[in-house]
Amino acid sequence: MNINTIVSVLCLLAVISCSYQAETASKSSTGSGPGCRVAFYNTENLFDIIDDEHVNDNDFLPEGKLHWTAERYEKKLDNIKQVIHGLNEFNSLALLGMSEVENKEVLMDLLKTDSLFKIIHYNSSDKRGIDVCLIYNERFFQPLQSYLSYFKQGEDPELFLREVLVVKGVLFSDTVHVLVNHWPSRREGEQKTEHKRIAAAMLTQEIIDSIHAVSKSDNIIVMGDFNDQPSDESMSVMLKLKSSKQSSSADLINPFKELQDAGEGTCRFKRDWFLFDQVLISSCMTNKKGLRFTEAAIYDPDWLYYKEDLNSGPFRTYLGERYYGGYSDHFPVYIELKK
């Protein structure tokens, strides 16, 4: 056997080995069917250093009060890449929704050395320029339609809600609608701002109703930073607003309620943990037929904690105007799905 033949055989064996490993990696730990991961991450102000005259990004400029330099921007990108790499354990990350990204150019910078993921992003009407987006792996997901769903202010012209990103596609062989949210913050106080998050919940429920008016059999995944916990009124409103004409397949479940009950959280204020970041799913996805939910979790390896101290909070980029150089003030969350 000559050297060329040997090399060819070795290359073939390597390809077979990689294919086997990829197939094995996509198996769920609960069975032999293929599996994937769906995640969400609030990236804490993923801004570039370019002045955008259409949004208020002045703080995130080299001459701004946060001194957002090219060096800090590159470090931020590297940090978020590290998180994405961790979420893509065993090459299983199919969908990742993100919030607090400035524009599509930032996402292109983030993924310029990673051809695995594709981007779905639209500029929102948020004055600060923080948007939601979805990146996806074509190996698992093929998008069919996407749009931003706008909020009609109606009788309250002072009420502003960020648009919901709605993406319809095929995950494995099942039709799925993904709704990526970023609800109003509690900055002015939880009780004072509660009505804003309830309004956001009602908007999200309207989108869900419109989807099921066309097809009650489609799966729905609602993800985001809701700035409320699973036990709060806004989440309950969204889960309970169902018309009598809807079938049980329209019902959502929140698998992160159990994590909240166990005292877990994705962000920390003073000494208290809050589970603001969640992924909700159609109740039919807990059945044994079709796309099936198997697990919900917070992604919080030691290196995502400040000074790797599990008694601290997330290793954030800024605290006020003080630069820490970390990842985000939120932990990512994810669910595992099996076909």
Side-chain angles (χ1 to χ4, degrees):
M1 183 178 294
N2 61 38
I3 187 64
N4 290 334
T5 303
I6 293 173
V7 171
S8 298
V9 171
L10 290 175
C11 289
L12 178 60
L13 289 174
V15 170
I16 293 173
S17 175
C18 290
S19 299
Y20 173 77
Q21 291 175 13
E23 181 180 358
T24 302
S26 69
K27 305 294 186 182
S28 168
S29 60
T30 59
S32 60
C36 70
R37 181 172 287 184
V38 174
F40 174 81
Y41 190 28
N42 180 327
T43 62
E44 188 199 346
N45 295 315
L46 182 55
F47 278 76
D48 60 27
I49 62 169
I50 301 171
D51 188 13
D52 184 344
E53 62 181 8
H54 300 293
V55 299
N56 182 13
D57 61 353
N58 294 335
D59 290 347
F60 289 91
L61 297 173
E63 66 276 13
K65 72 176 184 179
L66 296 177
H67 306 291
W68 189 239
T69 62
E71 181 180 5
R72 290 182 176 185
Y73 176 52
E74 288 299 327
K75 182 173 178 56
K76 177 78 169 183
L77 291 174
D78 289 341
N79 285 346
I80 302 301
K81 288 175 191 176
Q82 187 178 355
V83 174
I84 294 174
H85 178 77
L87 287 168
N88 193 31
E89 186 179 17
F90 306 125
N91 297 316
S92 63
L93 184 60
L95 298 167
L96 173 60
M98 292 187 285
S99 66
E100 297 200 12
V101 298
E102 184 183 13
N103 50 47
K104 188 172 183 179
E105 287 71 25
V106 166
L107 296 169
M108 293 172 66
D109 287 344
L110 180 67
L111 301 174
K112 65 183 176 183
T113 59
D114 187 347
S115 60
L116 188 64
F117 296 101
K118 308 299 180 185
I119 299 167
I120 298 177
H121 170 272
Y122 298 93
N123 289 323
S124 74
S125 58
D126 186 278
K127 294 179 180 179
R128 286 183 54 213
I130 53 173
D131 301 340
V132 296
C133 70
L134 185 74
I135 66 173
Y136 64 94
N137 185 340
E138 288 181 310
R139 173 187 168 204
F140 299 101
F141 183 77
Q142 297 78 45
L144 301 175
Q145 180 187 20
S146 62
Y147 58 92
L148 287 182
S149 182
Y150 290 88
F151 171 71
K152 296 178 182 179
Q153 290 180 307
E155 298 179 357
D156 189 353
E158 300 299 319
L159 178 61
F160 170 77
L161 299 179
R162 298 182 186 93
E163 295 87 349
V164 179
L165 174 61
V166 183
V167 180
K168 177 182 179 181
V170 178
L171 185 60
F172 291 114
S173 58
D174 288 35
T175 300
V176 174
H177 299 260
V178 183
L179 281 59
V180 188
N181 294 258
H182 187 188
W183 289 4
S185 75
R186 299 183 174 196
R187 187 173 293 109
E188 299 173 5
E190 177 184 354
Q191 298 302 321
K192 188 175 181 180
T193 58
E194 182 183 43
H195 72 285
K196 297 180 180 180
R197 291 183 295 280
I198 291 176
M202 296 175 69
L203 167 63
T204 305
Q205 185 60 49
E206 288 177 7
I207 299 169
I208 294 169
D209 288 345
S210 67
I211 292 169
H212 281 287
V214 176
S215 176
K216 291 183 172 62
S217 62
D218 289 355
N219 298 307
I220 294 178
I221 299 173
V222 182
M223 62 170 66
D225 173 4
F226 299 101
N227 275 301
D228 267 340
Q229 304 198 84
S231 60
D232 285 324
E233 181 65 21
S234 62
M235 305 304 295
S236 299
V237 166
M238 182 171 63
L239 293 174
K240 292 177 181 177
L241 282 179
K242 303 179 180 70
S243 69
S244 59
K245 295 181 180 179
Q246 288 179 310
S247 69
S248 60
S249 64
D251 298 347
L252 293 177
I253 66 168
N254 190 344
F256 285 85
K257 179 64 168 64
E258 293 183 9
L259 277 69
Q260 182 197 1
D261 293 342
E264 298 189 44
T266 56
C267 54
R268 190 168 182 170
F269 181 69
K270 296 182 179 180
R271 295 186 177 183
D272 296 324
W273 283 99
F274 296 89
L275 213 169
F276 289 165
D277 308 271
Q278 303 153 54
V279 182
L280 286 66
I281 55 174
S282 299
S283 60
C284 61
M285 295 174 70
T286 61
N287 300 331
K288 292 185 178 180
K289 294 182 180 180
L291 200 58
R292 182 162 62 91
F293 162 81
T294 61
E295 181 186 3
I298 299 170
Y299 184 71
D300 59 345
D302 293 359
W303 48 269
L304 271 181
Y305 286 82
Y306 179 60
K307 295 185 177 180
E308 299 193 8
D309 177 4
L310 301 187
N311 294 316
S312 68
F315 185 14
R316 57 197 299 159
T317 307
Y318 280 94
L319 178 58
E321 296 182 24
R322 182 179 177 184
Y323 177 69
Y324 281 76
Y327 301 83
S328 172
D329 54 354
H330 289 244
F331 290 138
V333 292
Y334 66 88
I335 60 171
E336 302 280 9
L337 299 175
K338 176 185 172 184
K339 180 63 175 177

